[in-house]
Amino acid sequence: MLSALILLPLLGAALIGFWPSNISGHLARRVALLFASITFLWTVLLAIKFTPGEVSQQFSEFIPWVDSLGLNYNLGIDGLSLPLLLLNGLLTCIAIYSSDSSLQRPRFYYSLVLLLSVGVTGAFLAQDLLLFFLFYELELIPLYLLIAIWGGEKRGYAATKFLIYTAFSGILILASFLGMVWLSGSPSFSLTTLNTTTLPLATQLLLLAGILVGFGIKIPLVPFHTWLPDAHVEASTPISVLLAGVLLKLGTYGLLRFGMNLLPEAWGYLAPWLATWAVVSVLFGSSCAIAQTDMKKMVAYSSIGHMGYVLLAAAAATPLSTLGAVMQMISHGLISALLFLLVGVVYKKAGSRDLDVIQGLLNPERGLPVIGSLMVLGVMASAGIPGMVGFISEFIVFRGSFAVFPVQTLLSMLGTGLTAVYFLILMNRAFFGRLSAQVTNLPRVFWSDRLPAMILAVLIVIYGIQPAWLVRWTEPTITAMVNTQNVVVAVALDKAKGVGSRE
């Protein structure tokens, strides 16, 4: 059942790429949307059949692959990966639907988008370290090409910078994965046979350092963040939706699955430093967002700040904070996708994203009133206004982290206030006031342009009012994961005390 989530978009990419004759942009988009929609509906069916109370991997598939390397085709799904799979399926459909039907080389474009979905889906399903790494690297080339070919004026620079950063990230992650398997004496790369808790603390710390930096680049965390604003500014709107909504979550997912879960003793040792790192990312990203005049770059820097909340929650490693980390991933995926979609519509209709140029877009007669209203909802959700999914996810993060790291949590909460500041600047300068002369006679916005943003807005409100529908899949898995980690750390501390008392 899980292989279908990989094979369907792969088949769609092959069908579009090897279409026997010329294919129009309209037809290519319809075929890609068909395969993406079937994949998403298949994921929804798996979610319906999923048993929330069962903490082990469900719908597992295992096929021996390369015995000499210890590599197996091992797939599974649990409460940590299921919400992210649903998010990936939804945003892939939205990205394809939102793509310009008149873009150049549509066969290549839609094939790459579907291949990108294959890489992300496979990474979330993989229950083998080496298999995860293969899928993790698979999404690198499609995203590079999507930015380099269909990006803005400086697309070559942004794409190359992304490629270099992400390639270095992959090297560190692979080195840590190989170290885990070889040093622990595991016969394979399977997560079920891997036992790293017997390794000395110094070894665990070295392995965890590679994972932290590797996935920290992907998230991205300060100071490894510089590739993200450039990539967002130069990428087209649909690719920015996928980049912020899903691809960054590979980094936070990796920290939880392979850092906190596999190296709990080292994680607990570094937890205070990780919480401090989270504070730096939150405040730096928010401060940089305030200084921007490009709407898209402002939203990009806001992502750096909001992903810092996930690291704070993971550092605290309580059941509540870790649940908040997963909710923050989903919340940020929905909200950032909405904001990038709306900024894309503004740029398409007004011809600019510069806050010094556009003004008064909420004008009910000659402006973009519906887009402006949706933007109000999006920035309110990002700022953590009650009734939106952004509020409940951040509240759970702060509530779960405060008992462990009160100072870092309070400092991170300043990021929520700064979010309100820079998005208030955006709304005040771009949407309120008199309609500026540079953006008069705006083209009409059709309902087809508004539909993806309206779907995301509805989900943001629904999950903000009823978050239990979101956490029902995740809570049992997260509780079991964190409890196991806490037991390991407690045993390690007891052993350390025992050695100290004997000396």
Side-chain angles (χ1 to χ4, degrees):
M1 294 183 72
L2 297 184
S3 291
L5 298 178
I6 297 173
L7 294 177
L8 281 170
L10 190 61
L11 177 62
L15 180 62
I16 295 172
F18 297 102
W19 197 270
S21 60
N22 253 343
I23 181 172
S24 66
H26 288 283
L27 181 57
R29 185 173 70 167
R30 289 174 184 171
V31 173
L33 187 58
L34 174 64
F35 278 92
S37 300
I38 294 173
T39 305
F40 176 58
L41 292 176
W42 189 257
T43 311
V44 172
L45 178 62
L46 290 175
I48 294 173
K49 293 186 175 183
F50 185 81
T51 305
E54 186 177 339
V55 298
S56 59
Q57 297 292 324
Q58 300 182 39
F59 313 112
S60 297
E61 298 180 12
F62 181 88
I63 301 175
W65 193 359
V66 185
D67 289 334
S68 58
L69 295 178
L71 172 61
N72 300 302
Y73 181 78
N74 189 358
L75 305 180
I77 191 172
D78 62 4
L80 175 58
S81 54
L82 178 58
L84 296 170
L85 286 169
L86 289 167
L87 180 66
N88 178 49
L90 173 65
L91 295 187
T92 300
C93 292
I94 287 177
I96 293 173
Y97 179 87
S98 303
S99 297
D100 189 353
S101 58
S102 62
L103 56 80
Q104 300 296 315
R105 306 171 69 180
R107 292 168 57 170
F108 194 31
Y109 174 85
Y110 291 110
S111 295
L112 289 175
V113 172
L114 290 174
L115 285 176
L116 187 63
S117 177
V118 170
V120 174
T121 300
F124 287 143
L125 291 176
Q127 299 303 308
D128 183 284
L129 292 178
L130 195 52
L131 186 64
F132 170 87
F133 176 77
L134 293 177
F135 281 117
Y136 181 84
E137 291 293 288
L138 175 62
E139 53 84 22
L140 171 62
I141 299 303
L143 185 58
Y144 166 77
L145 293 174
L146 286 166
I147 297 174
I149 297 175
W150 292 275
E153 293 182 1
K154 298 180 180 179
R155 57 186 180 272
Y157 167 77
T160 302
K161 192 173 184 179
F162 160 77
L163 183 66
I164 293 172
Y165 271 76
T166 309
F168 185 65
S169 163
I171 292 172
L172 292 175
I173 293 169
L174 178 61
S176 293
F177 284 176
L178 293 175
M180 286 183 189
V181 174
W182 293 341
L183 296 176
S184 65
S186 177
S188 71
F189 288 87
S190 175
L191 290 173
T192 56
T193 61
L194 187 64
N195 182 16
T196 57
T197 58
T198 58
L199 296 176
L201 177 59
T203 303
Q204 289 191 36
L205 290 172
L206 182 61
L207 296 173
L208 182 58
I211 288 177
L212 288 172
V213 176
F215 287 119
I217 293 172
K218 191 71 172 181
I219 292 174
L221 299 170
V222 176
F224 311 116
H225 66 285
T226 57
W227 66 267
L228 183 68
D230 293 324
H232 270 306
V233 169
E234 300 306 323
S236 62
T237 296
I239 305 309
S240 286
V241 167
L242 292 176
L243 177 57
V246 180
L247 294 172
L248 302 187
K249 310 306 179 289
L250 285 173
T252 49
Y253 172 83
L255 285 185
L256 293 176
R257 178 73 77 189
F258 308 112
M260 188 185 79
N261 191 37
L262 294 182
L263 300 167
E265 185 181 355
W267 188 270
Y269 185 87
L270 292 179
W273 300 100
L274 297 180
T276 304
W277 191 8
V279 172
V280 173
S281 289
V282 168
L283 297 182
F284 182 87
S286 301
S287 300
C288 287
I290 293 176
Q292 304 307 313
T293 58
D294 186 319
M295 295 172 65
K296 200 172 187 183
K297 186 170 281 191
M298 182 181 289
V299 178
Y301 273 109
S302 76
S303 292
I304 298 172
H306 283 84
M307 296 305 285
Y309 296 145
V310 180
L311 180 60
L312 172 68
T318 65
L320 187 60
S321 72
T322 311
L323 178 63
V326 179
M327 288 195 64
Q328 179 66 13
M329 285 191 269
I330 305 302
S331 165
H332 177 264
L334 296 173
I335 295 171
S336 63
L338 172 62
L339 293 175
F340 277 116
L341 279 174
L342 296 175
V343 171
V345 173
V346 170
Y347 182 67
K348 181 179 179 181
K349 301 300 179 181
S352 177
R353 301 187 301 255
D354 193 339
L355 295 179
D356 295 329
V357 175
I358 55 177
Q359 188 177 354
L361 294 180
L362 265 175
N363 186 296
E365 295 181 1
R366 296 181 297 149
L368 306 173
V370 176
I371 297 301
S373 301
L374 290 171
M375 181 66 81
V376 170
L377 185 145
V379 300
M380 289 172 63
S382 187
I385 299 299
M388 312 284 182
V389 69
F391 166 77
I392 191 63
S393 61
E394 291 178 12
F395 176 80
I396 293 176
V397 167
F398 297 145
R399 179 67 181 85
S401 304
F402 183 80
V404 184
F405 300 117
V407 175
Q408 290 93 328
T409 302
L410 290 174
L411 290 174
S412 294
M413 290 173 69
L414 293 176
T416 302
L418 293 175
T419 301
V421 170
Y422 59 73
F423 277 139
L424 183 61
I425 293 173
L426 183 150
M427 293 302 303
N428 185 53
R429 296 176 64 179
F431 290 91
F432 293 107
R434 185 188 299 271
L435 189 66
S436 57
Q438 294 94 325
V439 291
T440 54
N441 301 319
L442 295 176
R444 181 183 175 186
V445 180
F446 297 97
W447 280 104
S448 58
D449 296 320
R450 302 167 181 162
L451 181 60
M454 295 181 72
I455 292 172
L456 292 172
V458 169
L459 291 175
I460 288 169
V461 174
I462 287 176
Y463 286 128
I465 297 174
Q466 186 52 274
W469 293 350
L470 183 60
V471 304
R472 61 185 295 269
W473 295 308
T474 304
E475 189 171 9
T477 299
I478 292 300
T479 301
M481 180 188 299
V482 173
N483 286 342
T484 301
Q485 181 207 30
N486 291 337
V487 168
V488 171
V489 174
V491 170
L493 290 175
D494 289 341
K495 288 181 178 179
K497 291 178 181 178
V499 171
S501 61
R502 286 195 299 271
E503 291 176 352

